[in-house]
Amino acid sequence: MGSMRLLVLGGTHHVGRAVVEEALARGDEVTTLTRGVSGPSAPGALALHADRTDPAALRAALGDATWDAVIDTWSFAPSVVLDSASLLADRAGHYGYVSTRSVYEWPPAVGLDESGPLVGGDARSTEGSDYAAAKRGGELAAIEGFGAERTVLARAGLILGPYEIVGRMPWWLRRLERGGDVLAPGPPDLKLQYIDCRDLARWMLHAADEGLSGPFNTVSQPGHATMASLLEAGIEATGSSARLVWTPPEVIESAGIEPWTELPIWLPPYGEALGMHTGDVTKVYAAGLTCRPVRETVADTWAWLQAEGDPPARPGRPAHGLDPEREREVLAGLAGG
Ligand SMILES: NC(=O)c1ccc[n+]([C@@H]2O[C@H](COP(=O)([O-])OP(=O)(O)OC[C@H]3O[C@@H](n4cnc5c(N)ncnc54)[C@H](OP(=O)(O)O)[C@@H]3O)[C@@H](O)[C@H]2O)c1
C-alpha cells in the first residue's frame, strides 16, 4: 500500500505527526506545511514553511506542486481552511479534514450517528475562539473550497496515543508512575470511546486511497477500553506499584472535582456527557477503521514520554490533572467512610 503524494497541513504534533509517520512507513511521498515553530517534521518528509493565515505566503510556499491527497489538521478560524482548500482544489484529488465530534450540538445523544444535529458554523469566519463553531466552520470551508464529493470529515472523539500534547494520557501515566493510592474514577467497567492517533491516521490515508467522502465519527466502539483496562495498562506500562482506589462518581462529584480536565478522559456514567463515550461508529467501521488494543496505545505513549519528555504546557489552554492534595483528601474521606 501507499505511493501517493500526500500534503499534510500541520504534521509536527499529535495527529499530524502520526499521519506523516504512517504515510512514510507505507511508502507515500510526504510534504508538510507548517510555520516551523513547533519542531521539525519527521525525517523523510519534505518540510515547507508558511503561515497559513497569510494566503499569499501559503501560495508561495506550495508553488505549483500537485498532490493526490491533502490532510488538514487546522482547528482555528475556518477562513484559513477555506483559503487552503480553494487553493488546492485544482491541485489535489482528496481533502481529509481532521474534525471533531464537538460539531454536534451539546449534549450529544447516546448512540448519536453522523445525522445528529450540528452547531452553527461559517466557512468564511475569521474567528476561532469558539472551538465547536470553528470546527464546524472548518468542515463547511473544506466542502466549499474543495467539493463535498472529494472531502472527508473525520469527526474524531477523544484522541490518545503517542505525541499527545493535550496531556491527558501523559498526566495519568505520570500519576501512576508516582505510585501509592491513586484515585481511580469509577465504575471500573465504565466504557470508553477514543481513537489512537495512529489508527486515525491510518484510516484517513485509507479514506484517501478509497476516495471516500462525507462525515465519519472516527472513534473506537464504545467499550473498546474501560476505565479499568486503561489504568491497568498504565500500571503495566510504567511498572508502577500504584494501587487503584475505585471511587464512585457521586463521591467525585460531591468533592467538586471536574470530570475530563481534573480527571482526564473520565466522564461520569450519567448526565449530559453520557453521549461522549457512546457515539455510533457503524459507518466508520464499515469503511475500514480498525483500532489497536488499549495496552498498545498506553505502552507506546509511555515509550514516547520516556524518549521525548513531557509535552510543554499549552498557553491559553487548561492544564489537565488533579492536585495531589485534593486527591489525598478525597481518598482519606473514602477510607474514613
Ligand atoms: N485532541 C483531541 O482529543 C481531539 C479530538 C477531536 C479532534 N481533534 C482535532 O485534531 C486536530 C489535532 O491536530 P494535531 O494533533 O496535528 O495538532 P495541532 O496542535 O492542531 O497541530 C497544529 C499543526 O499546524 C501547524 N500550524 C499551527 N499554526 C499554523 C499556521 N498559522 N500556519 C501553518 N501551520 C500552522 C503546527 O506547526 P507550527 O506550529 O510549526 O506552525 C502544527 O504542525 C485538531 O484539528 C483538533 O481539532 C483533537
Side-chain angles (χ1 to χ4, degrees), residues 9-17 33-39 50-53 72-76 97-101 131 135 156-160 165-166 168 314:
L9 299 174
T12 48
H13 284 317
H14 196 195
V15 178
R17 181 169 168 187
L33 185 288
T34 65
R35 291 165 304 177
V37 301
S38 61
D51 187 331
R52 290 181 65 185
T53 61
D72 187 351
T73 63
W74 190 255
S75 59
F76 303 102
Y97 179 60
V98 182
S99 189
T100 169
R101 290 183 68 231
Y131 179 69
K135 293 300 286 188
L158 171 66
I159 306 175
L160 300 178
I165 55 166
V166 181
R168 297 181 175 118
R314 299 187 308 157

Side-chain angles (χ1 to χ4, degrees), residues 90-329:
D90 296 332
R91 313 238 221 124
H94 170 94
Y95 205 89
Y97 179 60
V98 182
S99 189
T100 169
R101 290 183 68 231
S102 299
V103 298
Y104 297 115
E105 267 178 19
W106 184 263
V110 170
L112 193 77
D113 68 14
E114 289 80 357
S115 65
L118 299 166
V119 301
D122 173 2
R124 291 187 159 63
S125 174
T126 54
E127 180 51 50
S129 56
D130 176 338
Y131 179 69
K135 293 300 286 188
R136 178 59 188 148
E139 289 190 343
L140 294 169
I143 288 168
E144 183 178 329
F146 208 81
E149 68 292 342
R150 298 189 300 153
T151 299
V152 148
L153 308 174
R155 290 181 180 155
L158 171 66
I159 306 175
L160 300 178
Y163 325 138
E164 190 222 307
I165 55 166
V166 181
R168 297 181 175 118
M169 198 65 218
W171 181 80
W172 273 116
L173 288 168
R174 290 299 185 199
R175 174 64 196 92
L176 293 168
E177 179 191 28
R178 218 164 66 232
D181 284 353
V182 174
L183 190 162
D189 63 356
L190 182 73
K191 290 180 173 168
L192 303 180
Q193 185 171 43
Y194 67 93
I195 190 160
D196 185 305
C197 58
R198 298 162 298 173
D199 295 329
L200 175 58
R202 204 170 282 178
W203 184 80
M204 291 192 80
L205 295 172
H206 168 73
D209 289 338
E210 298 294 316
L212 301 182
S213 61
F216 291 82
N217 290 340
T218 39
V219 267
S220 70
Q221 299 281 4
H224 180 74
T226 60
M227 211 58 220
S229 68
L230 182 86
L231 295 184
E232 281 158 10
I235 288 178
E236 185 182 319
T238 55
S240 160
S241 59
R243 190 175 76 95
L244 300 177
V245 182
W246 289 103
T247 308
E250 298 78 11
V251 172
I252 295 168
E253 201 168 38
S254 62
I257 293 173
E258 283 296 327
W260 196 249
T261 48
E262 283 186 286
L263 288 171
I265 301 170
W266 179 79
L267 291 163
Y270 49 74
E272 281 203 335
L274 195 54
M276 294 273 285
H277 283 305
T278 56
D280 183 284
V281 286
T282 309
K283 189 179 172 192
V284 76
Y285 271 81
L289 178 69
T290 55
C291 291
R292 71 196 65 211
V294 67
R295 288 175 68 208
E296 193 176 323
T297 295
V298 170
D300 292 349
T301 306
W302 180 243
W304 160 66
L305 279 179
Q306 298 305 291
E308 297 189 19
D310 292 300
R314 299 187 308 157
R317 308 277 183 114
H320 286 76
L322 183 60
D323 175 62
E325 191 49 43
R326 292 192 74 206
E327 183 187 35
R328 265 194 297 276
E329 281 165 20

